[in-house]
Structures are given as structure tokens and as C-alpha cells.
Amino acid sequence: MTSTDHPFAGTRFLVSAGRLDQAPADTGREAAFVGRSNAGKSSALNRITGRKSLARTSKTPGRTRLINFFAVDPRGERRLVDLPGYGFARVPREVKARWEAHLQHYLEARRSLAGLVLLMDIRHPLKPTDLALLEWSRAAALPVHILLTKADKLKHGARQRQLLTLRKALETHGLPASAQTFSAHTGLGLDEVRARIADWLQLDGA
Ligand SMILES: Nc1nc2c(ncn2[C@@H]2O[C@H](COP(=O)(O)OP(=O)(O)O)[C@@H](O)[C@H]2O)c(=O)[nH]1
Ligand SMILES: [Mg+2]
């Protein structure tokens, strides 16, 4: 297997949208990455596509303010979407409210949205905003796949405990999301998340 032997190798940037009317046509299928600022969304997108600086990563939380669209296939009918991070406290309340309205509008209106990849730092899983998003997704019958990110920060045993605890909590809350551990740095869990997204996007050869 070569490093480009996966269905995301040709992914390219399409457009950054500050408003939904700047988004690509709402046809085909797309998978969106969502989570708190600094959870590792951009790093995950870069790792999954194998393109190191496809989505800008930043050490400054909250830098991704726009909805960024990436085309997986040449026609742009299969897309990955980097959503604005939520729960970042260091911006004015009004600015934060505007981002959240933008995010909510996307989630509610976007018909091509086939699934959400919800990223949570493995050391800080299931914050109230994550739970709210999971409950909203269940109501909307939208599939969610959770990545417990930065899994390289924990040893194997602690990692598995966090995953089991999360799965139990999901069950307790009656939330149907699937979950796995992931590291953008080591590639842990890469095949699993690629397969899930390829399934949502109906990509061949995944
Ligand atoms: N150790 C470790 N750090 C990570 C990993 N993924 C992201 N980070 C770091 O977490 C910070 C935020 O990552 P970024 O991808 O920009 O998060 P975003 O705000 O959700 O897009 C950066 O400093 C990354 O280097 C990972 O798998 N392991
Ligand atoms: Mg980002």
C-alpha cells in the first residue's frame, strides 16, 4: 500500500464561506468536521487526506471562523467540510453568537450533509456543547462518528478506558453515535475514520 492509496488523496480546497449562500451547490454528499476549537479538526483533515496543509492548523484556538469546503472527487460532488470551532471563550459574545448561528444554519439547512465527524480531545470528552450537538443530531437523524483526538497523549490503557467510558455515556444518554480513538500525529485510527467517511460519501474502493 502506498501513502496515496486511499480515496481522499486528491482532495483540494474549494471555498471558504462566511454565509451559506457562498457555499458550493447543495448537491452530492458531504461529511462535516465539528467540535470545540483546538480539538484537532484541521489536523485530522490534513491527516485523513494526506495533505499536510490542506486545512490550516493553528496553535491559536478559534482561528477557523469560516466554513471551509474541500472537494474529494474532481467534480466536487463529494466534499469534506471544516466547520467553525465552538465553545471558544476568548472572543466577544456577539462574535461568538454570530459563529454559532452560522454553524446552526449550516447544520439545519444543508441537505447534502451525510454525516458529522465530532472531534473531542481524549482528555476532555463530552463537554455540554458536544452533548447538545449529539442530541440535536439524534433529533435530525444525522449519523455522528466521534473521534477521541490526540490519543497519543495517553498510554494504551488510559486511551481504552476513555473510549469505554464514552461509549457507556452515549448508551446512557441513548445516543447512537459510533466512536474511536484517533491521533493525527501517529495515524492511530486513520483507516477506521477513512472507512466511515468513505461509506457516508459513497466513495468507491474504500
Ligand atoms: N499530540 C497531539 N496534538 C495534536 C493532535 N492533533 C492536533 N494537535 C494539536 O492541537 C492543536 C490544535 O489543533 P488544530 O488541528 O488546529 O485544531 P482545530 O482548532 O480543531 O482545527 C495544535 O497545536 C495541534 O498541533 C494529535 O493527534 N496529537
Ligand atoms: Mg482548525
Side-chain angles (χ1 to χ4, degrees), residues 3-199:
S3 61
T4 54
D5 190 19
H6 61 82
F8 303 98
T11 303
R12 64 196 162 89
F13 174 75
L14 270 180
V15 70
S16 286
R19 297 189 318 267
L20 212 47
D21 61 14
Q22 297 164 338
D26 194 5
T27 59
R29 301 173 75 85
E30 62 195 29
F33 287 62
V34 67
R36 294 163 59 79
S37 298
N38 216 38
K41 285 184 300 298
S42 300
S43 304
L45 267 160
N46 292 343
R47 186 73 196 220
I48 289 164
T49 58
R51 320 211 79 170
K52 276 206 174 99
S53 53
L54 185 76
R56 244 179 311 163
T57 57
S58 170
K59 293 204 186 297
T60 312
R63 204 168 134 198
T64 314
R65 299 170 187 216
L66 303 168
I67 298 183
N68 298 301
F69 291 86
F70 304 91
V72 175
D73 66 321
R75 291 171 56 231
E77 287 292 296
R78 299 289 182 270
R79 295 175 299 274
L80 300 177
V81 184
D82 191 7
L83 294 175
Y86 53 70
F88 179 51
R90 256 162 41 197
V91 298
R93 190 188 298 272
E94 186 197 323
V95 176
K96 198 172 151 189
R98 218 182 307 135
W99 292 358
E100 283 166 6
H102 185 36
L103 178 61
Q104 191 176 344
H105 186 204
Y106 168 83
L107 291 173
E108 286 173 357
R110 197 73 178 163
R111 293 172 51 181
S112 53
L113 182 60
L116 281 181
V117 181
L118 171 58
L119 290 87
M120 311 189 295
D121 188 315
I122 194 163
R123 298 160 301 172
H124 315 285
L126 223 51
K127 296 281 186 188
T129 353
D130 299 320
L131 206 49
L133 188 78
L134 283 162
E135 279 163 358
W136 176 87
S137 303
R138 176 180 54 197
L142 185 68
V144 180
H145 185 64
I146 296 174
L147 300 186
L148 288 178
T149 62
K150 312 188 191 181
D152 57 279
K153 296 269 193 186
L154 298 181
K155 292 192 175 131
H156 180 77
R159 210 183 273 162
Q160 291 311 111
R161 276 196 297 282
Q162 287 296 78
L163 182 57
L164 278 179
T165 305
L166 170 67
R167 284 182 174 153
K168 271 189 203 142
L170 292 171
E171 205 180 305
T172 303
H173 287 95
L175 294 163
S178 52
Q180 64 163 99
T181 54
F182 180 79
S183 167
H185 284 194
T186 67
L188 175 88
L190 189 54
D191 290 347
E192 190 178 351
V193 62
R194 275 181 179 156
R196 175 55 57 109
I197 298 171
D199 181 44

